[in-house]
Amino acid sequence: MTGADPAGVWSSPGRANLIGEHTDYNDGFVLPFAIDRRTFVALDTREDGRIRVASTFDGAVAEVALDELDDLFPDRRGDVPEWATYPLGVAWALLRTTGVAADAVTGVDLAIASEVPVGAGLSSSAAIEGSVASALNETWGLGLDRVALAQAGRLAENEAVGAPTGIMDQMASMLGQPDAAIFLDCRSLDTDVVDLGFAEAGLALVVIDTQVEHSHATGGYRERRAACELGARTMGVPALRDLTVDDLPRAATLLDDVTFRRVRHVVTEDQRVLDTVRVLREEGPRAIGDLLVASHASMRDDFEISVPELDTAVEAALRAGAIGARMTGGGFGGAAIALVPHADVQAVTDAAAAAFEASGFRAPHVFTVTPSAGARRDA
Ligand code: ADP
Ligand code: MG
């Protein structure tokens, strides 16, 4: 970077998903909220039509000409460090989406710093995409709205990075609001803000990061997506979103056991999201605990994406006073969340640490998150 004042600073948050796991790419429902940990991008313009990215995540710098982005993605993505495919991929996706020519926009230097733990199931990837998309949208005068920026982030992650993820993370990061979750219909992309009222109810949202790294690009995640596609095809519907719990008996006769259980998770999870929204509105956050617990059991037993560390975290939290707890994010590692009365936060923290030690696991990182604002310009 040049050391001069940046032309601006933008940021976008990580997210926690309250409920609705592996429903997004099945056109279903999710209920994430933006968290109070953000990724910041300082942007400086440059005159030579190039884009340079640097991140505190990695000492290296990556730089390409804007008109080379089309050659880089997707086939030559290996020419730059993997982390750089996120910000460069967003630049590529924005130009591709809008049809704006690379030589019609200014070159940029992007300096990235993040508070979002990487690979913890809190979507550091959507945070970097949202902050870079916001910075470039404004600097390049593209005029895209928040939903379009979320879609550009997803396009970058799917095509440029090569991770086949859904739209939830980007929508939560772009649209988050303080003390509220975003109810998202992943088919229509319609959203509704749902008040959480955690503070008023004397509740904290505790994250138990297992320190087990997950990866979207590898085996298990792709396999689950394939099973969902097979399930929908066999049931004759465009997506699992089009099934309800009433269809499950027929699904049981048509699908093999493993595919049936994958389908049952998605179909019941969609229903749990709808139930959680209703219960939050009618009874408040203290009444959603059983839904969180049922969601975890479904991921553990039917979708089989939990790991012993996540099960241990959930069980320890519930024993120590959590109202509800579940793994969050794609699974195979990452974090669990627990809804905990303020008075029991320390007990849950201690219980998780003790249970991990007793099982011989690496010590977890335990911290609270607050539902917070989505992407914004900071300076
Ligand atoms: P997560 O659950 O945190 O989103 P992902 O595997 O989807 O996990 O994304 C993590 C990847 O995103 C990192 O390995 C890195 O490539 C990229 N990334 C996240 N934050 C940053 C950052 N601040 N700077 C550079 N790259 C980042
Ligand atoms: Mg991610």
Side-chain angles (χ1 to χ4, degrees), residues 39 55-57 82-84 86-87 112-114 116-126 128 157 169 214-216:
T39 296
S55 171
T56 52
F57 179 78
E82 204 222 352
W83 68 266
Y86 289 81
I112 299 160
S114 182
V116 186
V118 168
L122 296 174
S123 206
S124 66
S125 56
I128 189 172
E157 188 150 346
D169 298 355
H214 74 101
S215 170
H216 279 160

Side-chain angles (χ1 to χ4, degrees), residues 46 56 71 121 135 144 155 227 252 271-272 283 289 304 313 338 345 376:
R46 50 191 284 167
T56 52
D71 295 330
L144 297 173
L155 180 65
Q271 187 60 49
R272 281 186 290 271
E283 300 172 53
E304 297 182 279
V345 169
R376 64 176 178 228

Side-chain angles (χ1 to χ4, degrees), residues 85-341:
T85 61
Y86 289 81
L88 295 177
V90 167
W92 167 81
L94 288 172
L95 294 177
R96 205 174 94 164
T97 303
T98 55
V100 169
D103 61 6
V105 294
T106 180
V108 288
D109 278 344
L110 301 175
I112 299 160
S114 182
E115 306 165 341
V116 186
V118 168
L122 296 174
S123 206
S124 66
S125 56
I128 189 172
E129 288 154 11
S131 54
V132 171
S134 301
L136 293 178
N137 184 47
E138 202 173 320
T139 303
W140 287 347
L142 301 176
L144 297 173
D145 65 15
R146 285 172 183 263
V147 173
L149 293 180
Q151 287 172 307
R154 182 195 184 179
L155 180 65
E157 188 150 346
N158 289 173
E159 304 288 328
V161 177
T165 54
I167 190 73
M168 166 174 70
D169 298 355
Q170 294 83 5
M171 290 290 278
S173 188
M174 289 307 308
L175 296 170
Q177 294 199 17
D179 207 22
I182 304 299
F183 172 54
L184 168 65
D185 178 332
C186 296
R187 172 169 282 166
S188 66
L189 298 191
D190 286 344
T191 56
D192 211 352
V193 176
V194 181
D195 289 340
L196 290 171
F198 289 163
E200 211 175 295
L203 297 173
L205 206 293
V206 176
V207 175
I208 304 166
D209 177 0
T210 64
Q211 306 283 298
V212 179
E213 274 214 34
H214 74 101
S215 170
H216 279 160
T218 52
Y221 187 89
R222 285 178 196 277
E223 265 172 39
R224 296 307 181 280
R225 289 192 63 137
C228 291
E229 278 160 27
L230 173 64
R233 209 164 48 238
T234 310
M235 292 295 288
V237 290
L240 294 183
R241 145 71 177 277
D242 298 299
L243 301 178
T244 70
V245 286
D246 294 338
D247 295 307
L248 289 175
R250 188 169 67 92
T253 67
L254 291 177
L255 303 173
D256 66 87
D257 173 62
V258 170
T259 309
F260 171 67
R261 287 186 294 114
R262 305 297 188 249
V263 167
R264 182 166 62 185
H265 164 70
V266 173
V267 171
T268 58
E269 185 80 351
D270 271 334
Q271 187 60 49
R272 281 186 290 271
V273 175
L274 298 173
D275 291 345
T276 302
V277 171
R278 181 177 45 77
V279 171
L280 279 168
R281 286 179 167 154
E282 290 175 2
E283 300 172 53
R286 282 188 173 259
I288 66 170
D290 291 348
L291 289 160
L292 302 183
V293 172
S295 170
H296 185 78
S298 179
M299 288 187 281
R300 181 191 60 211
D301 302 334
D302 273 355
F303 220 58
E304 297 182 279
I305 53 171
S306 190
V307 292
E309 288 86 345
L310 286 167
D311 295 338
T312 300
V314 166
E315 285 155 23
L318 291 172
R319 273 201 310 275
I323 284 171
R326 56 183 285 279
M327 52 155 286
T328 186
F332 307 105
I337 55 169
L339 194 55
V340 183

